[in-house]
Amino acid sequence: MKNLGIIGFGWLGNHIAERLSNRYHIFATTTTPSKAEDLSSKGYHATLASFPNELDSEMKPWEVAKDLDAIIISVPFSGLRGAQIPMNDKRQNLLNFLGDYKGQLFLMSSTGVYLQTEKEFAEHDQLTQEVESENFILEKFPQTNILRLAGLMGDQRLLKNYNISNLDLLVNHIHYADICSVVEKMLENQSQSKVYNIVAPIHPNKEEVINAQKDLPYNGERATTGRTISPAKLIQELDFEFQYPDPRYFHL
């Protein structure tokens, strides 16, 4: 079996580990001893690590990194939208933790890198060199795959479970199962230096999604324009088929 590292073992990291644990030994970082115990109980190898906003002079390279075939970074390095949080020290902490890692790398980014403009965005509309939260890692690790994730959904993360405004806006969502499938395929292909939008190809509006998830009819008109993110490059280059192409049916 190969070895897979997951830096930042949260909701998404857990789903990825569950999908791949029959083929990979899972090595994960977490911030609390109790979470480390939980990971160990699942058969994963846990390391306590955090990436504070201040430079950590004690940050050493991850000891197991040299034995890992791939590492997935699932820690946010962009700050909250609109919040001016200095991230340079936090990013440097991560770079120090990775040391001189030479294997396959994935950085979980966000479709939030695109402008809030009514158009369809493709990867070339926002180059990684122009996105500080992506370029910082590519400068040292050019082999990094950048996955720009849409709104994470699935399980209990359904639109009907939240207080939602602007119901007429089109959604850019992705089911966690499809993220896992993308990662799985890219691991198999030994992909390097790729940039993909990971987003379901169908973009209903919020009200359509909520009504479908509540088993209610939708009587409004289908919006045809709005801010949408295109997964066309992913579909073409990976020959990728979505298990959940339509956010209206993420609950099924």
Side-chain angles (χ1 to χ4, degrees), residues 11 16 25 28 33 42 75 86 139 191:
W11 183 81
I16 293 173
H25 295 294
K42 295 179 178 179
V75 176
E139 289 180 339
S191 301

Side-chain angles (χ1 to χ4, degrees), residues 5-252:
I6 301 177
I7 296 177
F9 196 93
W11 183 81
L12 179 58
N14 182 58
H15 282 296
I16 293 173
E18 287 181 347
R19 169 73 71 90
L20 298 172
S21 59
N22 63 333
R23 278 157 292 158
Y24 288 83
H25 295 294
I26 304 296
F27 295 78
T29 73
T30 185
T31 57
T32 64
S34 61
K35 185 71 176 289
E37 288 181 16
D38 180 52
L39 295 180
S40 297
S41 71
K42 295 179 178 179
Y44 306 152
H45 306 271
T47 299
L48 284 174
S50 61
F51 305 95
N53 292 330
E54 303 78 32
L55 193 62
D56 182 357
S57 60
E58 302 296 315
M59 182 66 73
K60 299 289 192 297
W62 196 7
E63 194 173 334
V64 303
K66 64 184 183 300
D67 300 317
L68 301 178
D69 297 283
I71 294 177
I72 296 169
I73 301 163
S74 188
V75 176
F77 286 95
S78 58
L80 297 174
R81 183 176 294 170
Q84 297 302 311
I85 302 174
M87 282 287 193
N88 287 343
D89 286 349
K90 182 173 184 175
R91 293 168 184 156
Q92 189 60 50
N93 287 331
L94 172 71
L95 296 177
N96 293 344
F97 189 68
L98 289 170
D100 61 352
Y101 183 69
K102 299 294 194 298
Q104 197 178 13
L105 259 178
F106 296 82
L107 177 70
M108 298 306 188
S109 184
S110 166
T111 54
V113 301
Y114 298 108
L115 296 174
Q116 297 298 309
T117 304
E118 287 197 0
K119 64 166 284 186
E120 181 180 63
F121 287 95
E123 289 83 354
H124 60 76
D125 289 311
Q126 189 66 68
L127 302 178
T128 55
Q129 302 94 300
E130 300 167 355
V131 181
E132 191 178 6
S133 59
E134 297 175 350
N135 188 51
F136 84 97
I137 196 167
L138 290 167
E139 289 180 339
K140 185 175 180 182
F141 302 100
Q143 77 269 32
T144 305
N145 297 299
I146 306 294
L147 304 187
R148 293 173 174 170
L149 308 182
L152 302 181
M153 293 290 168
D155 281 346
Q156 297 306 306
R157 287 194 179 195
L158 297 172
L159 216 55
K160 69 174 184 178
N161 295 334
Y162 299 92
N163 292 321
I164 301 297
S165 58
N166 301 318
L167 294 176
D168 59 326
L169 292 184
L170 303 184
V171 303
N172 293 285
H173 287 168
I174 184 67
H175 195 287
Y176 73 81
D178 283 316
I179 301 174
C180 294
S181 295
V182 170
V183 171
E184 190 173 28
K185 197 156 192 175
M186 293 181 72
L187 286 168
E188 291 171 358
N189 292 352
Q190 286 293 300
S191 301
Q192 294 201 346
S193 308
K194 298 294 186 181
V195 182
Y196 291 129
N197 295 330
I198 315 298
V199 54
I202 298 175
H203 306 277
N205 70 31
K206 295 178 183 180
E207 187 175 3
E208 285 182 88
V209 174
I210 292 169
N211 283 25
Q213 291 173 354
K214 291 184 175 181
D215 199 24
L216 297 172
Y218 174 72
N219 299 317
E221 291 187 10
R222 183 71 183 271
T224 55
T225 60
R227 178 183 178 274
T228 58
I229 314 299
S230 170
K233 180 183 176 186
L234 171 75
I235 294 169
Q236 179 181 5
E237 292 191 3
L238 282 186
D239 191 25
F240 189 77
E241 293 185 16
F242 286 83
Q243 182 180 351
Y244 293 93
D246 191 335
R248 289 175 296 180
Y249 309 113
F250 279 7
H251 61 300
L252 300 179

